[in-house]
Amino acid sequence: VVVGEPALAAIRPESILLAAGDPPPAPNVLVGSLAGISHLGDVIQYVVMVNGREILVRLPRHNAPRLTVGEAVWCTWPAEAAQIFSARQARLVIPDPTTDAATAAT
């Protein structure tokens, strides 16, 4: 990524921490609404809606907070967890839902 050009950041679901209540002190914090919880064996996956976008969070069951769908939650992650891409690579990083739907229909 060239300094001064638009960029995108991607964070793996396993690198995001989730908290309810007051936001934790962290440099990277997003507030959202808990939209879903899936139990995947030793991992719990949370779906958090932030500004109309889904954020996936995967936590080991033993570290997973007890949360309720519809509850306000805060997602945080360390700066070193972010992978930075040029905005020109947006199609590679952010799937186009219209393309995905068209592909699934064929």
Side-chain angles (χ1 to χ4, degrees):
V1 177
V2 177
V3 174
E5 288 192 15
L8 298 170
I11 297 95
R12 301 239 1 119
E14 301 83 12
S15 298
I16 301 172
L17 299 176
L18 199 58
D22 292 330
N28 301 303
V29 178
L30 290 175
V31 64
S33 175
L34 186 60
I37 302 170
S38 298
H39 298 268
L40 308 173
D42 61 345
V43 173
I44 297 182
Q45 177 174 281
Y46 301 91
V47 178
V48 180
M49 294 301 297
V50 176
N51 298 326
R53 291 200 177 263
E54 290 183 355
I55 294 182
L56 295 179
V57 179
R58 292 188 190 120
L59 298 172
R61 181 175 297 281
H62 67 279
N63 285 343
R66 293 184 184 257
L67 301 170
T68 304
V69 171
E71 179 173 10
V73 292
W74 283 262
C75 300
T76 64
W77 60 93
E80 61 272 8
Q83 299 294 316
I84 308 300
F85 299 90
S86 167
R88 288 177 275 147
Q89 294 177 301
R91 288 187 212 175
L92 299 173
V93 179
I94 303 172
D96 180 353
T98 58
T99 303
D100 290 345
T103 302
T106 58

